Each structure stands twice: as structure tokens, then as C-alpha cells.
């Protein structure tokens, strides 16, 4: 006879499921995973670009602490970066009280997604209609709770829509150091979010252009009857990333997640998918670039690094020879016959003979650091030029030949002179004889 199964199976099933019931709930999907949204750049505290060493050192060994390729670090991947953020909210007559409440909820939800503080994001609100009212400045509140309470106290102005005047007021009176904005040297971006449901009743084109030129990044949020062309005139480029539109105030709160993604400081270097061989540097645009350790140059692929040819740069200072080292540095050397001085740059003569410019035919003999003399191999003698050499036997032969030739020439000259003298004497004798005969004849005539 079969027994009823449920009485025994239920406790066993609970035992199987009990560990699963104790597991923590699954985390919500990271909003960064949604494609198609612009992310402003990653920066460290006070706006300094984040720098992370690559997981590969120059010698090819993995750097300590490197995460596995493709894995996202648990912390610091998405954190709102510091901003000077100003909301410009339209509270004209066309915005009903309930709708204005929705706008304030929208602002509060964006504040919830930000890191608020003196060194992080500072928030101000400008309320506008036909007049403009600065509800609070950037330095007024330094925590989320106080900020949200201040937003909740804002009341509508209930008149026209002077969007241009609101932008001008923010530029002149809110985005200033005196009002709590940080100066240019801090690299803290200035961002304004304009929310409106109508067409501006003043000129926004020129004032918006001046605001953008001053470094303010403008986002335009249009609701219901908002004029799309006016939104485009106010917003920064690219327009597809700075102009938002919703059909009713009832759904404007959904845009808060869009701005969370926009202001998310995505640390792409922390994702470890950058491919930089040495150093990954986060940029303000939300992207990154690669750099190299000192002594290395970034290759054309903008990822890998090669040791710098320091010698080719022409700044090495070596007097004679520059030699590149494997470490990306260099050292100086000297030509043969020279020695490197203590400055490791210049060279001094060590051996004149080693220079190869001495001119000795056979042997160069150093007489010190800067002098020398020439010598000859055995069986040779140094010529009068003190450079060249001649064989000793050949020299003797040449001397003997010269002596013989000299003697023969002398004898021939002597014989020629003697013969000439004899002929001359003979002629003189004849002349004397004739003179004597003449003289005798005259005497005896």
C-alpha cells in the first residue's frame, strides 16, 4: 500500500531551498551598461585626471595587484565627478503647481545621484519666469539633505519665460568664484541644466553662445509645448547629447537616470580593458589615453611603448659617441685614443698614437698624453722627415753610388780644365814669341 508522498517531500524540499533563501538579493543592473549616453570625463579629487599603471610592466611581467583582463573593479568604476552644477527652472504661468512639484522632484533625484560636498559637486538653483530669482548659490549647501530641503521650498514665479535672462544671470552672478564656483585652475566643469515648457520671450541665441564660450556646458530639457529650435539654440554640442524632451511633466523624473549616466565618472582605466602597455590616463571626455614610463615613447598604435632613442634627440651632450641603453636611457663614450672625463660627457686625449693621425710610417711611440715620435722597424732607419723609413743597405748603396758619380764628375772636370789650360799656355807661348821677333826686328832694322 502506497503512502502519501507530500507529507515527506515537503520538508525535504524546504531543506533544499533553504540555502537559496539565505542568499542576498541580486544587485540591480549598473546604469552605465546602457549604451548611447554621453559620459563626462573621469577625474580624481579636485579635478585631477586619474592615472592607473597598466597591468603589464615594461619587462613584460604582470604588475602587482592587476585585475584579470575584462573584469570591472568593484570600486571606483562609476562615481559622480566634481561639478559646479546650476539648475535653471522655468516657473512661468504655463507650469501648473503640480507640474512644478514634478520639476523639483526631478532636481532632487539628480542630486541623489551626485556626490555632494565642498570638494565634490556644488549645486545652485535659478528660478525664472519674466523675472529671475537666484534661490541659492553654489556655496550655500554642502550635503544632500539640506540641498533637497532647499529645493522643496522653491515656489513658482508665475509670469513669462525669460530664458535668456536666466542664462545671463547664471553666467554673471552664479558661476563666479565669489558665489562659490571654483576657478579655472581647478578644472571643475561648469554645467547648467535648463528646464522649460515653452518658447523663450527674449533672445537666447547670443547669450547662450557667450555662456558656452565662457566654458559653461548647457543641457536643455524641454517639456510638452517646449520649442525644439530654442532648445537647440541654448544647448551645447553635440545636440543629441545635450537636448532632452519629454511629453509631460509626469515622466520628467525618468530623465534623472539619464543625467546620472551622463555625470557618471566612468573609470575606463579601472575596467582594465584599455590595452595600454604602461600607463592609462582618464580624460575629461570620459575616455582615456595611454602614456609611457619615463625613457619610453608611445608607438603609432597609441598603446605600446618603445625605449626612446635618446641619442637621436640630439640633447644627450656627448662630445664623441652616444650609446642607447635598454632601459630607455643612454651613456657617452669616446673615440679611440680618448678617455671619458669625470662629467661623463666630454673626452680628453689619452694616446696620440692611437688617434691614427700621427703619420709615422712604421712605429708611433707615445711620449705622454699629448706628444709622440716615430720609429722604424729593425733594418730600417728614420729619414730626415722624422716620419718615413728606409732600409739601411739601400741607403748605403745609394750613398756609394752618389760618391762614385761624384768622383767621376770631378775627374772629368779636372781633365777638361787641364786640357784647356794647356791649350791656353800654348797660345800664350806663340804670342810671346811673335812679340819678341817683332821687337828684335825693329831694333836691328
Amino acid at each position: 500500500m502506497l503512502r502519501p508522498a507530500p507529507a515527506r517531500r515537503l520538508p525535504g524540499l524546504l531543506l533544499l531551498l533553504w540555502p537559496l533563501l539565505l542568499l542576498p538579493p541580486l544587485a540591480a543592473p549598473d546604469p552605465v551598461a546602457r549604451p548611447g549616453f554621453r559620459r563626462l570625463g573621469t577625474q580624481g579629487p579636485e579635478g585631477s585626471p586619474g592615472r592607473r599603471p597598466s597591468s603589464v610592466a615594461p619587462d613584460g611581467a604582470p604588475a602587482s595587484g592587476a585585475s584579470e583582463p575584462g573584469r570591472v573593479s568593484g570600486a571606483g568604476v562609476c562615481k559622480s565627478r566634481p561639478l559646479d552644477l546650476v539648475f535653471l527652472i522655468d516657473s512661468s504661468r504655463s507650469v501648473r503647481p503640480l507640474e512644478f512639484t514634478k520639476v523639483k522632484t526631478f532636481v532632487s533625484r539628480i542630486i541623489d545621484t551626485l556626490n555632494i560636498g565642498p570638494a565634490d559637486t556644488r549645486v545652485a538653483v535659478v528660478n525664472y519666469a519674466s523675472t529671475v530669482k537666484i534661490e541659492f548659490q553654489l556655496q550655500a549647501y554642502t550635503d544632500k539633505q539640506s540641498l533637497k530641503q532647499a529645493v522643496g521650498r522653491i515656489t513658482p514665479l508665475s509670469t513669462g519665460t525669460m530664458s535668456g535672462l536666466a542664462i545671463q544671470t547664471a553666467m554673471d552672478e552664479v558661476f563666479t568664484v565669489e558665489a562659490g564656483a571654483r576657478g579655472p585652475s581647478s578644472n571643475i566643469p561648469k554645467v547648467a541644466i535648463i528646464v522649460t515648457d515653452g518658447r523663450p520671450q527674449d533672445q537666447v541665441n547670443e547669450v547662450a553662445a557667450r555662456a558656452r564660450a565662457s566654458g559653461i556646458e548647457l543641457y536643455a530639457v524641454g517639456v510638452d509645448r517646449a520649442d525644439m529650435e530654442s532648445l537647440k539654440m541654448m544647448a551645447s554640442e553635440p545636440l543629441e547629447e545635450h537636448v532632452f524632451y519629454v511629453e509631460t511633466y509626469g515622466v520628467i523624473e525618468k530623465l534623472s537616470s539619464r543625467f546620472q549616466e551622463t555625470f557618471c565618472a566612468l573609470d575606463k582605466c579601472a575596467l582594465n580593458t584599455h590595452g595600454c602597455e604602461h600607463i592609462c590616463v582618464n580624460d575629461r571626455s570620459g575616455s582615456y589615453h595611454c602614456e609611457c614610463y619615463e625613457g619610453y615613447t608611445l608607438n603609432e598604435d597609441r598603446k605600446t611603448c618603445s625605449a626612446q632613442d635618446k641619442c637621436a634627440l640630439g640633447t644627450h651632450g656627448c662630445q664623441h659617441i652616444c650609446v642607447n641603453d635598454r632601459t630607455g636611457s643612454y651613456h657617452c663614450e669616446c673615440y679611440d685614443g680618448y678617455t671619458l672625463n669625470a662629467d661623463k660627457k666630454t673626452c680628453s686625449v689619452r694616446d696620440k698614437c692611437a688617434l691614427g693621425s700621427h703619420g709615422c710610417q712604421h712605429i708611433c711611440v707615445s711620449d705622454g698624453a699629448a706628444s709622440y715620435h716615430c720609429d722604424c722597424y729593425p733594418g730600417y732607419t728614420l729619414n730626415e722627415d722624422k716620419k718615413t723609413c728606409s732600409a739601411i743597405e739601400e741607403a748605403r748603396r745609394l750613398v756609394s753610388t752618389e760618391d762614385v758619380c761624384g768622383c767621376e764628375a770631378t775627374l772629368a772636370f779636372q781633365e777638361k780644365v787641364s786640357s784647356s789650360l794647356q791649350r791656353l799656355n800654348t797660345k800664350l807661348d806663340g804670342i810671346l814669341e811673335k812679340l819678341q821677333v817683332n821687337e828684335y826686328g825693329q831694333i836691328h832694322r
Side-chain angles (χ1 to χ4, degrees):
M1 182 175 179
L2 295 175
R3 296 179 179 179
R8 291 180 177 272
R9 290 179 181 176
L10 186 57
L13 184 60
L14 288 174
L15 288 174
L16 290 174
L17 294 177
W18 184 251
L20 297 177
L21 295 175
L22 295 177
L23 291 175
L26 294 175
D30 189 346
V32 179
R34 292 179 59 186
F37 298 112
R38 179 172 182 261
R39 295 164 175 84
L40 300 182
T42 300
Q43 295 185 332
E46 300 300 326
S48 60
R51 300 172 70 91
R52 291 179 178 271
S54 166
S55 59
V56 180
D59 59 1
S64 61
S67 58
E68 297 178 12
R71 290 190 60 185
V72 179
S73 301
V77 174
C78 185
K79 174 180 179 291
S80 71
R81 67 192 182 96
L83 302 171
D84 286 338
L85 177 61
V86 178
F87 290 93
L88 288 77
I89 54 177
D90 178 3
S91 64
S92 58
R93 186 178 293 108
S94 61
V95 183
R96 299 178 180 87
L98 182 59
E99 293 174 336
F100 192 70
T101 300
K102 292 287 186 180
V103 173
K104 294 192 292 183
T105 302
F106 164 67
V107 172
S108 294
R109 289 197 174 181
I110 292 179
I111 291 173
D112 276 332
T113 67
L114 302 173
N115 294 92
I116 303 297
D120 293 308
T121 294
R122 302 177 184 181
V123 177
V125 174
V126 174
N127 187 7
Y128 77 94
S130 59
T131 60
V132 175
K133 179 183 179 184
I134 300 175
E135 296 290 346
F136 52 85
Q137 295 280 16
L138 290 166
Q139 60 189 1
Y141 303 103
T142 58
D143 63 276
K144 291 184 183 181
Q145 188 63 29
S146 299
L147 267 176
K148 291 164 66 176
Q149 289 175 356
V151 170
R153 292 192 294 267
I154 298 173
T155 57
L157 301 176
S158 300
T159 48
T161 307
M162 304 295 285
S163 302
L165 181 60
I167 296 173
Q168 187 69 52
T169 301
M171 184 168 50
D172 295 341
E173 302 180 31
V174 182
F175 285 114
T176 65
V177 175
E178 294 77 14
R182 283 156 285 191
S185 61
S186 66
N187 291 323
I188 302 296
K190 295 176 172 56
V191 179
I193 300 176
I194 307 167
V195 183
T196 181
D197 72 339
R199 181 190 298 272
Q201 294 176 347
D202 57 357
Q203 295 296 322
V204 297
N205 193 6
E206 292 184 4
V207 66
R210 289 197 300 272
R212 294 191 298 268
S214 71
I216 300 173
E217 189 171 12
L218 293 170
Y219 288 84
V221 178
V223 184
D224 194 11
R225 298 171 299 276
D227 179 56
M228 186 58 67
E229 290 304 314
S230 298
L231 297 177
K232 293 178 181 178
M233 287 182 186
M234 293 185 287
S236 298
E237 294 284 350
L239 295 178
E240 62 270 15
E241 297 181 9
H242 291 82
V243 176
F244 299 92
Y245 175 80
V246 291
E247 295 181 353
T248 66
Y249 281 100
V251 294
I252 192 174
E253 297 173 16
K254 295 181 180 180
L255 290 179
S256 60
S257 60
R258 295 282 296 271
F259 280 100
Q260 179 185 10
E261 294 164 356
T262 298
F263 298 143
C264 171
L266 183 64
D267 190 348
K268 293 201 173 182
C269 291
L271 298 178
N272 203 35
T273 57
H274 47 78
C276 298
E277 184 178 5
H278 286 184
I279 302 170
C280 178
V281 181
N282 287 303
D283 297 328
R284 288 190 60 186
S285 60
S287 60
Y288 68 93
H289 70 273
C290 301
E291 292 183 2
C292 298
Y293 297 128
E294 185 177 359
Y296 291 80
T297 302
L298 197 64
N299 295 328
E300 291 184 1
D301 60 9
R302 316 307 297 176
K303 299 282 187 179
T304 59
C305 301
S306 296
Q308 287 181 353
D309 188 351
K310 293 275 189 176
C311 295
L313 297 178
T315 57
H316 47 79
C318 298
Q319 184 179 4
H320 286 182
I321 303 169
C322 178
V323 180
N324 283 304
D325 299 327
R326 290 187 61 188
T327 59
S329 60
Y330 68 95
H331 69 273
C332 300
E333 293 183 358
C334 297
Y335 299 135
D336 289 341
Y338 291 81
T339 185
L340 195 64
N341 294 328
D343 61 7
K344 301 300 181 182
K345 297 282 186 179
T346 59
C347 301
S348 297
V349 174
R350 182 184 70 243
D351 185 353
K352 284 276 190 179
C353 291
L355 299 180
S357 58
H358 46 76
C360 297
Q361 183 180 6
H362 284 186
I363 303 169
C364 179
V365 180
S366 291
D367 297 328
S371 63
Y372 67 96
H373 70 273
C374 298
D375 205 346
C376 298
Y377 299 137
Y380 290 82
T381 185
L382 193 66
N383 295 329
E384 291 184 2
D385 60 8
K386 301 300 182 181
K387 298 282 186 180
T388 59
C389 299
S390 297
I392 295 174
E393 292 299 326
E394 179 67 15
R396 288 177 179 174
R397 188 185 66 78
L398 289 173
V399 170
S400 299
T401 301
E402 290 175 357
D403 289 345
V404 171
C405 292
C407 291
E408 290 177 353
T410 301
L411 291 172
F413 177 75
Q414 290 175 349
E415 288 177 0
K416 187 175 181 180
V417 171
S418 178
S419 178
S420 297
L421 289 174
Q422 287 178 358
R423 287 195 301 271
L424 182 59
N425 286 332
T426 302
K427 288 181 179 181
L428 288 173
D429 289 343
I431 292 171
L432 289 173
E433 187 178 349
K434 287 179 179 181
L435 288 173
Q436 289 176 358
V437 170
N438 243 359
E439 183 180 358
Y440 182 78
Q442 290 177 354
I443 293 173
H444 297 281
R445 184 177 294 172

